């Protein structure tokens, strides 16, 4: 399968714990995006990378959130000191980065904070 | 700030019916518009992408139109099937922008 891959699919954690998610984009794609989606809503932009550079971060991305993309390949999203409000589906997408290129999404990581 | 609205929020139709999903956006200075399908608990599958210079795109039983000046797009599904049941999301990327802004989606149920 050459699509966008996200791991784990599901994560249940207790409030206050740290969690890390991984995204492997389509290999030739140089842009990588993170979105968050809560029930009944569309995805909300969190951040994106052009190769290894993080070029934009949403105000939704508090200082408890950090994303990296070392070497411009896979990316990780870490949430520190999780809160119940962090419970959501975290979606990763990648694209060629040229104007008008479609985004391709992974199946997401569903986070539940108890 | 770009806002995207989708109407209706939910739709239930009998199998075989043709249907239209609506999407509107507040800032007409977009680069392109993309329609996605999302099955429960899954990620998004891209259906159609319309560049701002285009009026419509077709793929099989799906046809998406774009009226950039009025800030509207429609997704037409012909001869609906139970397998079309899903949430349909539209999203726009603004000119010189780098990210998609999504609507909340339309939940479609096609009854057999």
């Amino acid at each position: 399968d050459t699509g966008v891959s996200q791991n784990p699919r599901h994560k249940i954690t207790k409030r206050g714990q740290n969690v890390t998610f991984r995204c492997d984009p389509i290999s030739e794609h140089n842009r990588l995006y993170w979105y968050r989606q809560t029930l009944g809503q569309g995805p909300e932009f969190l951040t994106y990378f052009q190769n290894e550079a993080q070029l934009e971060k949403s105000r939704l991305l508090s200082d408890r959130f950090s994303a990296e993309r070392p070497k411009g390949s896979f990316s990780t999203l870490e949430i520190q000191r999780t809160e119940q409000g962090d419970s959501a589906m975290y979606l990763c997408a990648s694209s060629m980065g040229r104007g008008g290129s479609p985004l391709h999404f992974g199946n997401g990581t569903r986070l539940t904070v108890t | 700030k770009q806002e995207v609205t989708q109407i209706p929020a939910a739709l239930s139709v009998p199998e075989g019916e043709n249907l239209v999903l609506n999407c509107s956006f507040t800032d007409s200075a977009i680069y392109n518009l993309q329609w996605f399908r999302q099955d429960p608990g899954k990620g998004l599958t891209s259906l159609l992408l319309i560049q701002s210079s285009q009026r419509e795109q077709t793929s099989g039983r799906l046809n998406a139109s774009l009226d950039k000046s009025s800030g509207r797009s429609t997704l037409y599904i012909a001869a609906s099937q139970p397998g079309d049941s899903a949430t349909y999301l539209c999203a726009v990327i603004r000119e010189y922008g780098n990210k998609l802004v999504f609507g909340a989606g339309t939940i479609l149920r096609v009854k057999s």
Side-chain angles (χ1 to χ4, degrees):
Chain A
D1 184 63
T2 56
V4 177
S5 177
Q6 291 189 246
N7 287 288
R9 289 297 313 277
H10 305 275
K11 179 70 177 178
I12 299 173
T13 191
K14 292 186 178 180
R15 190 176 57 183
Q17 298 294 305
N18 299 343
V19 294
T20 300
F21 311 140
R22 176 178 170 127
C23 172
D24 288 272
I26 294 171
S27 58
E28 62 267 30
H29 286 181
N30 54 24
R31 283 202 179 175
L32 186 147
Y33 299 79
W34 285 99
Y35 281 80
R36 182 172 70 186
Q37 186 179 26
T38 53
L39 200 62
Q41 300 298 315
E44 295 174 294
F45 171 79
L46 293 178
T47 188
Y48 94 96
F49 294 83
Q50 176 86 23
N51 299 313
E52 67 275 10
Q54 188 174 17
L55 297 185
E56 188 172 348
K57 293 195 292 186
S58 163
R59 278 174 280 182
L60 292 175
L61 215 64
S62 76
D63 56 6
R64 297 185 297 106
F65 288 69
S66 63
E68 294 182 344
R69 193 183 182 196
K71 303 177 184 177
S73 55
F74 72 91
S75 176
T76 57
L77 178 67
E78 180 183 16
I79 309 174
Q80 296 181 325
R81 306 182 302 282
T82 52
E83 302 173 354
Q84 287 187 325
D86 297 332
S87 296
M89 174 79 88
Y90 289 85
L91 294 161
C92 176
S94 68
S95 76
M96 292 292 287
R98 291 193 301 265
S101 299
L103 270 66
H104 298 265
F105 281 80
N107 279 326
T109 294
R110 178 163 295 284
L111 173 66
T112 302
V113 181
T114 62
Chain B
K1 178 189 172 187
Q2 178 72 272
E3 293 183 0
V4 181
T5 303
Q6 292 188 244
I7 294 173
L11 183 62
S12 182
V13 300
E15 182 177 5
E17 192 160 300
N18 302 328
L19 58 99
V20 174
L21 308 181
N22 297 291
C23 172
S24 62
F25 43 95
T26 54
D27 185 350
S28 62
I30 64 166
Y31 197 87
N32 64 44
L33 181 146
Q34 207 167 344
W35 282 94
F36 294 88
R37 168 187 172 135
Q38 186 174 32
D39 293 291
K42 298 292 180 68
L44 280 64
T45 300
S46 179
L47 298 174
L48 291 163
L49 182 148
I50 310 177
Q51 302 289 356
S52 62
S53 58
Q54 297 174 321
R55 298 284 294 184
E56 65 178 331
Q57 282 285 337
T58 298
S59 175
R61 293 182 295 108
L62 306 179
N63 175 276
S65 68
L66 174 64
D67 184 342
K68 182 181 167 183
S69 61
S70 68
R72 296 180 187 276
S73 176
T74 61
L75 179 66
Y76 175 83
I77 302 177
S80 57
Q81 303 170 357
D84 294 330
S85 299
T87 297
Y88 290 80
L89 294 152
C90 77
V92 297
I93 184 167
R94 64 179 173 83
E95 289 178 355
Y96 310 111
N98 299 299
K99 59 181 183 283
L100 285 172
V101 177
F102 283 85
T106 293
I107 301 171
L108 173 65
R109 180 183 170 216
V110 181
K111 299 173 288 186
S112 56

